[in-house]
Amino acid sequence: MRENKKLKKFGSLLVASSLLAGVLAGCGNGDSSGGGSSSGGGGSSDGDTIKIGANLELSGNVASYGSSIGLGADLAVKEINDKGGIDGKKIQLIKVDNKSENSEATAAALKLATQDKVVAMLAPATSGNTVATVQIANDNKIPIVTGSGTAPNITVNDDDSVNEYAFRTCFIDPFQGIVAANFASNELKAKNVAIFADNASDYAKGLAKSFKETITKNGGKVVKEEAYVAKDTDFRTQLTNIKGEKPDFIFIPGYYEEVGLIVKQAREMGIDVPLMGADGWDSPTLVELAGAKALNNTYITNHYSAEDPDQKIQDFVKAFKAANNDKAPDAFNALGYDTVYYIADAIKRAGSTDGEAIKNALADTKDLSLVTGTFTVDKNHNPIKTATVLEFKDGKQVFNSKVNP
């Protein structure tokens, strides 16, 4: 998901300066759900309530992601509270809109930590927005868990040190690139491939790198690499260059806003080879932009499929539909749901709402069964779990296969 490496060094300087004033003045519009009183505070809880923050993209460029995570989180909170909460205490979910912007994500994290005094946070949906909150989590000893921030540098820094209070419920970018390359080689028998990536995005560049390494290792050849930048709308020049090399497969790591137009323009230009991306494609808006027909013969790696016959998944699908006007849950809904359950499980095992105790329990998680897979947390705070390959057929995502780590 979207990111900016320079933001990982934010920290105390921003916290101590004008940002604090902006937070106090401008970030008080978050809504809350899940019941309970508004008591509780940093690293602890009062009365019958445990406060968990949700720093989400509820408006802006990628509002589809954050809003979906929020809906999944709401369902999990309701289920947990209906069953008595955590050791008798109800969860209060406090949502703040980060407006799909790094600076707003930092402000939202600061508000949740210092004003709302949450004991843990659902971190933003995108990698860049999550990276912008890591220092605040570390400084305030409040664990953050991103449901869909897949960039490795959320949990591990360039010097290989681990961000002590940062976790995730999704797999990381390199794994998606490996899965996509193996699928292209083994299932689609691709030999000559092209890569068309957003070169302003660490998310896309990380996927492209792992895909290229794996496809080459598999005996394939990258015949063309092209790049675009977020907010571009005309991709015909790059697509013409790609088409000239006659690839039999094109890997397009990026986000639905640009990918929808890329797919549409590629098909209009007569490029009919398989196209593949990752979880950044996962939005209903993709179909609106590309068109259902253009998306035929395209694939994505993702975190789960509502069509997976696994009973745990089908129980979740049924519950989500009942709560959301019969809408089938997407992967972001599932990841938001799982993130709340992951945090709640850690709080229960910790037997405390102290930030350090919760952080240690999150890190010690083993064989936790969730909707997007059963996972164990590794030394870098990443879950070891399966990935799902989905295929678009007439505008709908169809379950193709599961891939083990």
Side-chain angles (χ1 to χ4, degrees), residues 47-357:
D48 297 324
T49 302
I50 295 175
K51 287 185 174 184
I52 296 176
N55 182 347
L56 299 173
E57 296 82 345
L58 302 177
S59 64
N61 294 338
V62 289
S64 172
Y65 299 148
S67 298
S68 290
I69 285 175
L71 287 175
D74 288 339
L75 177 60
V77 169
K78 183 179 186 304
E79 289 181 353
I80 293 168
N81 285 345
D82 285 350
K83 293 175 182 176
I86 302 172
D87 294 329
K89 295 180 183 289
K90 297 295 181 71
I91 296 172
Q92 181 185 5
L93 186 68
I94 301 174
K95 294 181 184 176
V96 179
D97 180 12
N98 63 42
K99 303 177 184 177
S100 300
E101 296 178 9
N102 295 151
S103 60
E104 292 285 347
T106 307
L110 186 58
K111 174 188 181 294
L112 289 166
T114 62
Q115 289 183 253
D116 298 306
K117 299 188 181 300
V118 299
V119 302
M121 297 183 210
L122 278 73
T126 66
S127 292
N129 289 340
T130 299
V131 168
T133 71
V134 169
Q135 193 65 49
I136 290 171
N138 289 336
D139 287 349
N140 289 276
K141 300 186 186 306
I142 297 175
I144 59 171
V145 184
T146 178
S148 55
T150 51
N153 66 346
I154 288 171
T155 55
V156 180
N157 297 310
D158 291 341
D159 62 1
D160 293 330
S161 61
V162 176
N163 283 316
E164 196 174 357
Y165 284 84
F167 298 83
R168 71 181 101 224
T169 47
C170 54
F171 41 67
I172 61 176
D173 292 339
F175 181 56
Q176 290 196 85
I178 291 167
V179 170
N182 286 337
F183 182 80
S185 297
N186 300 331
E187 303 301 323
L188 302 180
K189 310 303 179 187
K191 297 294 184 185
N192 298 307
V193 309
I195 299 172
F196 190 16
D198 178 353
N199 69 357
S201 161
D202 286 346
Y203 165 73
K205 289 189 288 188
L207 282 164
K209 181 176 183 291
S210 60
F211 175 87
K212 182 177 180 179
E213 290 172 351
T214 305
I215 200 79
T216 302
K217 191 181 299 181
N218 291 347
K221 180 180 179 183
V222 178
V223 296
K224 191 65 177 176
E225 292 185 70
E226 286 286 341
Y228 65 92
V229 178
K231 306 301 180 187
D232 284 353
T233 57
D234 187 346
F235 307 92
R236 292 175 180 84
T237 298
Q238 299 99 312
L239 289 169
T240 297
N241 294 337
I242 289 171
K243 184 178 181 181
E245 298 299 326
K246 298 184 167 69
D248 50 27
F249 174 94
I250 305 173
F251 185 54
I252 312 173
Y255 301 103
Y256 64 88
E257 296 168 291
E258 293 82 24
V259 169
L261 297 175
I262 290 171
V263 172
K264 182 177 187 291
Q265 291 169 23
R267 297 311 194 207
E268 288 172 349
M269 294 171 61
I271 299 173
D272 57 4
V273 300
L275 311 176
M276 190 168 187
D279 58 340
W281 287 35
D282 190 18
S283 169
T285 306
L286 177 74
V287 182
E288 297 172 14
L289 292 170
K293 185 177 179 181
L295 280 167
N296 286 336
N297 199 27
T298 69
Y299 304 83
I300 60 172
T301 54
N302 214 335
H303 305 269
Y304 115 117
S305 168
E307 293 187 344
D308 190 318
D310 181 275
Q311 190 59 51
K312 190 175 189 71
I313 290 176
Q314 289 309 309
D315 289 344
F316 162 69
V317 171
K318 181 178 178 181
F320 187 88
K321 283 185 172 182
N324 293 278
N325 300 314
D326 206 39
K327 175 188 176 294
D330 61 25
F332 291 90
N333 298 138
L335 288 164
Y337 180 87
D338 278 358
T339 300
V340 169
Y341 269 102
Y342 176 35
I343 293 171
D345 174 74
I347 294 172
K348 185 174 181 62
R349 284 187 290 108
S352 169
T353 54
D354 173 72
E356 185 174 3

